[in-house]
Amino acid sequence: MSKRSLGVAIVVVIVLIVGVLWLNNDITKKQNEGIGGTISKNLVTLSDDNPTFDHWGQNFPDYLDMYTTVEKAPEFTTEFGGNLAYSKLIRYPQLTVLWAGYPFSIDANEERGHFWIQVDQMDTARNNKDFLNSHGFAAFAGQPTACMNCHSGWSPWLLENVAKGDWVAFNSTKYWTMIKNVPAVNGIVENSPEHSGPHGGKRMGVTCADCHNPDDMSLRLSRQAAINSLVARGYEKDPVQGVKASREEMRSLVCAQCHVEYYFRPTGEKVTVMGESIQNDPTKKWYNGTQKTYDEYDSWRDGNSPIEVQADGITLVFPWADWKKGQPFRIEMFDEYYEKSRDVFPADWTHKISGAPMLKIQHPETELYSGGVHAANGVSCADCHMPYIRKGAKKLSQHNVTSPLADINSACKTCHVQSEDYLKNQIKDIQNSVAHDLRTAEYSIVSLITDIKNLRDELGKMPEYQSDGKADVKKINAVLKDVLELHRKSQMRADFVGAENSTGFHNPREASRMLLQAVDMARQGQTKLVEIASANGITNFKTSNLGFEDMQKLNPGEIRYKVDVNGKKAGDRYYEHENVNGNPPAALIEYDKNIKPYNHQVIDKK
């Protein structure tokens, strides 16, 4: 080979090598972009010792940007959702009667996303013992850490490092005690405003580590209650991802860690937990004059320090033992479960007006979705609420977890061929129909509660239902037993659909079936009241049939202090932020007015 030919060959080889290196770099870049854009960035080591999204997001900046969008997103409302945290009690005043005697009857706001859930949990009046004491809830002992399982991304770390892996002790510790132990990370100064904030501090909500394994980012269950309850349904435990399940199943099960009905099951035993030395300071009193046992503040201060105390043991449980793996959920499964649990857990609370032993249903999206058409066709929660999107060369799962209506093209049209307008109108029609059924059920139950109170008053005047010249609650409860059961079960069904965040869309057939049962049970209860009144010679008893205008008379307005307490004056607004617990837009109230009775000329407008 001549020198000229050799030179050309060397140049060709060099060009080929450079081309291969460039191609390899380009491929690597696109691969890295596809998992969040980590190329040319300083990667950090991921572990459960630092579960914050600010830390994990350094490796996955595109996902972090999507997740934190909600923090500064403009407020908006839809007919049945949005991110404006208006008062649900103002929009739906009937809830103040349905939840009478329970803290939700004072404070319940529209949800505003995963980023805010711990902020809102710590700010709510339902977590403020002095405020509740001053509003007639003297028996309220303070929320337990069990409430924190779904609200704080720090929960697994606190379980392992503070409760030392003791599941019962973790749940049984006071909420305000446990939150004081969140460590300062990411350069945050201990007990600084940032340490109390939502970016990695004590008010951090859902985070990457809740759903992803730090070793390979595979999906996993990080919440013990979910693992325990899935095992009760028939799943097998798995040391890495929590239970053995396919990746497609995990794309729903990670959501099922929190989007479920739950309750705090008493263990019947005392357990040693972390307490606060403030309980030994006789100068620290609650509003009602009783001794403080914890400080409603998120940091240790003024000499208050951790001590060991005894507490009644509780554990967070999903009531799923009668809902077996592979079955669609039916509301009767809750009836069966809670009936068998009555000796341990008779009720969440006793209704202040009717006297019925009540169950408060929480966000049961997992249960309702399980029997719907999307679940039957293998569609996961993430397929609709975290659809794949394109960002340049990157294929990303949308981590601004929100309604599919925000991006119908990505969320719905990967399967559906109809236009966006068609799909949007179909969703709206389903939700309008379910909303009509829900309002019908709620108004029927409020009518039943009103009638129970009226008959209670009449029975209490009769000597056979008195003791020492006063109405005997036990005697009256005995004669009203069947009616109180109908109240319990009818409201459980209405509350299920009301608490489930799709306005029935996840399974409209089951939602409507539940609500038809709720109305039927409420009317049965009224019929039984008439029979009881007749049997006792009460001739002036009449049943109620209340509607929208009657409900509006129950409007509680924004939450305000009734007395001077904790530096606040009577009449002061409870929430410092004006965008929380305010009035819903007037258009939504008008919309509800036309839902029940159904004014199709208004509601069906496209």
Side-chain angles (χ1 to χ4, degrees), residues 520-588:
D520 184 43
M521 289 173 173
R523 297 311 186 194
Q524 285 183 49
Q526 289 181 299
T527 299
K528 287 185 178 293
L529 288 175
V530 171
E531 293 171 354
I532 294 169
S534 178
N536 286 274
I538 301 172
T539 59
N540 61 343
F541 180 78
K542 294 182 179 180
T543 57
S544 305
N545 187 23
L546 305 175
F548 175 82
E549 298 298 338
D550 298 296
M551 301 306 127
Q552 294 306 300
K553 297 173 184 176
L554 304 169
N555 185 341
E558 297 176 346
I559 307 175
R560 296 186 179 275
Y561 284 87
K562 286 186 175 181
V563 298
D564 296 350
V565 62
N566 292 337
K568 303 292 185 179
K569 298 292 185 182
D572 284 354
R573 195 174 187 273
Y574 176 79
Y575 281 98
E576 295 180 5
H577 302 289
E578 292 295 326
N579 62 332
V580 178
N581 192 244
N583 289 300
L588 294 182

Side-chain angles (χ1 to χ4, degrees), residues 327-384:
Q327 290 181 326
F329 173 79
R330 295 287 182 258
I331 192 63
E332 288 81 6
M333 294 172 180
F334 276 178
D335 286 335
E336 294 159 7
Y337 180 93
Y338 280 120
E339 188 61 36
K340 288 185 285 191
S341 301
R342 277 203 173 189
D343 59 333
V344 175
F345 182 78
D348 278 306
W349 91 103
T350 299
H351 199 275
K352 184 178 180 179
I353 301 172
S354 77
M358 302 301 294
L359 296 168
K360 175 69 183 75
I361 303 298
Q362 324 290 335
H363 36 70
E365 286 82 41
T366 294
E367 292 90 336
L368 188 65
Y369 150 84
S370 71
V373 66
H374 288 88
N377 283 279
V379 180
S380 72
C381 301
D383 288 327
C384 301

Side-chain angles (χ1 to χ4, degrees), residues 92-305:
Y92 307 119
Q94 61 269 23
L95 297 177
T96 62
V97 173
L98 295 173
W99 297 334
Y102 204 55
F104 274 90
S105 66
I106 289 180
D107 189 9
N109 301 313
E110 178 65 27
E111 300 82 4
R112 53 179 181 156
H114 291 87
F115 179 87
W116 295 108
I117 58 173
Q118 176 70 341
V119 172
D120 291 342
Q121 176 68 10
M122 292 178 70
D123 286 350
T124 177
R126 300 193 306 273
N127 202 7
N128 186 323
K129 181 173 171 58
D130 263 338
F131 184 85
L132 291 178
N133 283 344
S134 66
H135 279 70
F137 289 85
F140 175 72
Q143 288 189 348
T145 299
C147 293
M148 196 187 298
N149 274 281
C150 290
H151 290 274
S152 174
W154 279 106
S155 293
W157 187 93
L158 293 167
L159 170 61
E160 292 303 316
N161 292 276
V162 178
K164 307 302 180 184
D166 189 327
W167 175 237
V168 175
F170 174 75
N171 285 287
S172 308
T173 305
K174 292 297 183 187
Y175 195 106
W176 285 103
T177 304
M178 186 60 70
I179 203 69
K180 292 176 172 64
N181 299 283
V182 169
V185 296
N186 305 335
I188 292 175
V189 176
E190 185 82 22
N191 296 334
S192 64
E194 291 76 19
H195 193 197
S196 293
H199 283 272
K202 296 163 187 173
R203 285 170 170 75
M204 181 183 73
V206 173
T207 186
C208 316
D210 292 331
C211 303
H212 291 283
N213 189 312
D215 296 329
D216 59 7
M217 295 304 290
S218 62
L219 295 175
R220 65 165 178 182
L221 302 180
S222 60
R223 297 303 195 268
Q224 191 62 47
I227 296 170
N228 293 345
S229 300
L230 286 166
V231 169
R233 288 191 61 201
Y235 284 81
E236 183 181 347
K237 278 189 177 181
D238 183 89
V240 176
Q241 63 181 35
V243 298
K244 293 186 182 300
S246 68
R247 182 177 181 276
E248 191 61 22
E249 285 181 288
M250 292 298 291
R251 282 166 60 81
S252 289
L253 291 181
V254 292
C255 305
Q257 296 184 102
C258 294
H259 289 268
V260 295
E261 157 66 350
Y262 65 86
Y263 75 109
F264 303 151
R265 185 178 181 87
T267 65
E269 298 177 348
K270 292 288 185 180
V271 59
T272 300
V273 302
M274 179 182 290
E276 303 185 26
S277 62
I278 195 172
Q279 73 174 42
N280 299 318
D281 184 345
T283 66
K284 304 295 185 182
K285 303 290 185 181
W286 295 118
Y287 162 79
N288 60 4
T290 58
Q291 176 63 45
K292 280 196 173 184
T293 54
Y294 61 92
D295 185 16
E296 287 184 321
Y297 194 74
D298 63 15
S299 299
W300 301 104
R301 62 176 182 174
D302 299 335
N304 187 29
S305 59

Side-chain angles (χ1 to χ4, degrees), residues 382-440:
D383 288 327
C384 301
H385 293 276
M386 304 176 69
Y388 288 109
I389 60 172
R390 284 285 180 185
K391 185 177 181 181
K394 309 169 192 175
K395 180 183 178 182
L396 306 171
S397 175
Q398 174 59 272
H399 274 58
N400 177 21
V401 187
T402 187
S403 167
L405 289 169
D407 187 358
I408 288 179
N409 187 58
S410 298
C412 306
K413 287 181 65 63
T414 52
C415 296
H416 295 279
V417 298
Q418 297 91 344
S419 69
E420 289 193 25
D421 284 344
Y422 174 87
L423 295 171
K424 186 179 295 185
N425 287 330
Q426 287 297 303
I427 295 167
K428 183 178 179 181
D429 190 56
I430 288 171
Q431 292 186 313
N432 284 340
S433 178
V434 173
H436 168 269
D437 294 346
L438 178 55
R439 300 289 91 80
T440 303

